[in-house]
Each structure stands twice: as structure tokens, then as C-alpha cells.
Amino acid sequence: MSIFRSIVFTAVAAGLVVGLIVTAIQHFGVVPLILRGEVYEQAAEAATPVATADSHGAEGHDGQGQGGHDHGAEAWEPSPGLERNAFTAAANILTAIGFSLLLGAAFALRGKAVTWREGLLWGLAGFVVFMVAPGLGLPPELPGMPASELGPRQVWWIGTVVATAAGLGLVLLKRTPWAAILGLVLIVAPHVVGAPAMLDEATNVPESLVHQFVVTVTLTSFLFWVLLGSLSGALYRRFSA
């Protein structure tokens, strides 16, 4: 029971601290880029009905063009400002707690003494598994960018994460020739299969903005995992002592 308490206390404390820190980083780095992307997305959506009306004729009395579409009610989203920041912070904290639980479970299963240095290494492994490997095939996307269908993307993302985690575990923990070979095969396999292709749609989002967004999100994720791994290792050692 003490091990379980150590894992839970570590996850809650580390998740709260890291979630708040990452939220502050995102507020000044990632969020402004998302808002700029939303401007291009809204401009493209506003131009679509005009093109439809021009190609199908005059609009009818109900406000829809001949052959127009009824898009229905818009999906709910938090309003800009305090509400949006609060939901972002809550999501980051819950995400950090969840990943810290995984790290704590890994520490317990290893059964060895853990320090912030070992936690840092586990955090770097988490960065590779959950950000680098999936990002090679499905990089972070701004609003307004074309994307592949959601279902295949989710399947490939989950498969890549599982294969990469298993591969790294075999390479770094087993340390035998057969494990290293099998681990490398697992790591490479998702990229040989390839991620689902993006839909062939035009976008007005500038390439420079897309590149800046990918770099910023990757660096933010790196800081997230470095902080989470180090803090989880240090707190787990403290709570389990």
C-alpha cells in the first residue's frame, strides 16, 4: 500500500507543478501561434459559402444556396480569455498527472533506487515515445491545416507509441543482441508502414507559421517531459523513503 501511495502522491504533486509551468509556457509560446492559425482557418471557412453561392446560383429564401448545406450548431468551445486558459491548465495538469502515474509505476516495477537523474532519463524516453516517434509521421497541426482522417491517425499514433515504447524497453533494459535487434525493428516498423496520408486540400496557412508551430510545440513537449521525469523521480524517492 505504501508503494501505491508513493505513486499517487508523486503523480499529483508533480502533475500539478509541471502542468502549471507548461501552461505558462504555452500561454506565451504555443497559444499565440494557435490564435494566428485560427485566423486563417476562419478566413477559409468564411470564403467557402461565397464560392458555393457563386457556383450554384443565388441563395434561396432560407439563407442557403441551391444545393447548399446546413452545418448545424457549432461545436462548443471555451470562450477566449480566462475560461480558455482555465481549461488549458486543467487539461495540462490532468495530462501531467496521468503520465506521472505511468512513470511512478515504471519506477515501482524496476524496484531500484530512483533519483531525479533516473527520472530525467525516463522523462527523455517519454519524450521520444510520445512526441518524437509519432511526430515524425504526424507532426503537430495548426488550425486550418489539412489532415488525414481521424480514425486511421489514432490507430497509427497508438501503434507507434506502443511499438516505440516496447522497442526502447528491449534496447535499453534487456541489453542483449536479440533484444536490441527486435527493439530496433519495433521502433522502425511504424515508419516503414507509414502514417496516413493527409487529405489533398489547399490551405492558406503560411509554411513559416507551420514550421514555427512544430518547433515550439516540440520544445514545449521536451520541457514537459524533462520537468516531469526529474520531478517525478525526486518526489518518488522522497515519498517512498
Side-chain angles (χ1 to χ4, degrees):
M1 192 61 162
S2 60
I3 294 178
F4 177 75
R5 286 201 303 266
S6 299
I7 294 174
V8 173
F9 290 167
T10 296
V12 173
L16 180 61
V17 173
V18 175
L20 292 176
I21 292 175
V22 169
T23 298
I25 295 174
Q26 289 179 338
H27 180 73
F28 295 101
V30 178
V31 173
L33 299 178
I34 293 176
L35 295 178
R36 289 172 60 185
E38 288 179 347
V39 172
Y40 290 100
E41 181 183 44
Q42 293 167 1
E45 292 176 350
T48 301
V50 175
T52 302
D54 290 342
S55 59
H56 292 285
E59 293 186 351
H61 297 290
D62 59 354
Q64 300 181 23
Q66 298 174 8
H69 303 283
D70 182 9
H71 297 286
E74 294 184 358
W76 177 88
E77 62 180 22
S79 59
L82 180 61
E83 184 178 3
R84 186 168 189 170
N85 293 334
F87 274 94
T88 299
N92 287 334
I93 291 172
L94 291 175
T95 300
I97 290 175
F99 281 128
S100 186
L101 285 172
L102 292 178
L103 291 175
F107 298 156
L109 290 174
R110 284 282 286 167
K112 296 183 179 180
V114 178
T115 65
W116 70 268
R117 293 181 181 86
E118 283 74 23
L120 172 61
L121 295 178
W122 280 92
L124 291 175
F127 172 68
V128 172
V129 169
F130 291 99
M131 181 66 199
V132 175
L136 292 175
L138 295 174
E141 298 168 354
L142 271 172
M145 292 178 56
S148 55
E149 295 182 5
L150 181 59
R153 290 169 60 198
Q154 291 177 326
V155 171
W156 187 87
W157 191 93
I158 294 172
T160 301
V161 166
V162 172
T164 305
L168 283 180
L170 289 171
V171 172
L172 299 178
L173 300 180
K174 288 294 184 180
R175 298 185 179 181
T176 59
W178 71 266
I181 295 174
L182 179 58
L184 291 175
V185 169
L186 287 173
I187 293 172
V188 174
H191 307 285
V192 174
V193 174
M198 292 191 303
L199 299 177
D200 187 14
E201 296 179 354
T203 178
N204 56 352
V205 181
E207 187 66 28
S208 60
L209 182 60
V210 174
H211 176 74
Q212 185 180 358
F213 180 72
V214 171
V215 172
T216 304
V217 170
T218 303
L219 290 177
T220 302
S221 178
F222 176 78
L223 293 175
F224 171 87
W225 281 105
V226 166
L227 292 173
L228 189 67
S230 303
L231 191 56
S232 295
L235 291 175
Y236 183 82
R237 180 183 180 88
R238 180 185 181 91
F239 287 130
S240 60

